[in-house]
Amino acid sequence: METISGLLPTGSAVFADAGNTGASAVHYLDLPVDGRFGLALGMGYSFGAAIGSAFADRRPTYVIAGDGSFFMHGMEIHTAVEHALPITFVILNNNAHAIPPWPEPTCSQGPGGSQLGEFPCQQGTFGFVAAQFESEFELGARFIGAAQAGEQLTAHAR
């Protein structure tokens, strides 16, 4: 969250999703001057909230969501791309949908719950730039590169 805080431009809007990701954002994300923050109370709702906000005022908008939230409403990225909305999606993926890492008979995927897999392969389908990163340095480089090129970015943290 510290890295993301340092990359947010003045006046940007940030929408964090429910769950562990949203809790981290509430506690550790610092908004820029004139920034707006929205916390989704249901998994995946940050995607629609960010799209509505970006339609309303076209300010730089950011979604911070977990893999479980992406499973719920992540296909809304297509709407953002279709309308060229200024949204960056950051998916924090622990491949667990917040499920504790022990076997549960109700999880068809076995220990660890659901698996998002190799997210960047989706970019050809939707027409956005997808970047997988494993350090705050990679995240920063992707944010800056996408902003300079005027591209929409979906960043996938593993």
Side-chain angles (χ1 to χ4, degrees):
M1 292 300 157
E2 182 179 327
T3 299
I4 294 170
S5 295
L7 297 168
L8 296 172
T10 298
S12 57
V14 179
F15 293 88
D17 226 293
N20 296 334
T21 301
S24 294
V26 165
H27 290 289
Y28 303 111
L29 187 71
D30 294 321
L31 289 178
V33 174
D34 193 31
R36 295 183 183 174
F37 182 77
L39 178 65
L41 299 178
M43 287 183 68
Y45 287 18
S46 64
F47 291 87
I51 288 168
S53 175
F55 265 125
D57 60 19
R58 307 299 283 194
R59 70 173 56 210
T61 304
Y62 297 83
V63 171
I64 301 172
D67 55 308
S69 296
F70 175 79
F71 276 125
M72 300 290 182
H73 293 282
M75 294 303 113
E76 289 301 326
I77 291 173
H78 180 271
T79 303
V81 171
E82 180 181 351
H83 296 282
L85 298 175
I87 302 175
T88 295
F89 298 90
V90 179
I91 312 301
L92 302 176
N93 177 17
N94 62 357
N95 275 332
H97 185 164
I99 297 172
W102 59 75
E104 287 197 24
T106 58
C107 297
S108 61
Q109 299 291 327
S114 55
Q115 299 294 310
L116 186 54
E118 295 302 317
F119 183 76
C121 68
Q122 300 295 325
Q123 67 183 330
T125 306
F126 294 113
F128 59 82
V129 175
Q132 183 168 306
F133 63 93
E134 297 188 20
S135 76
E136 65 269 16
F137 303 109
E138 289 178 283
L139 172 62
R142 297 294 187 166
F143 259 71
I144 293 166
Q148 289 174 343
E151 298 173 327
Q152 294 170 312
L153 172 68
T154 298
H156 172 223
R158 296 193 84 179

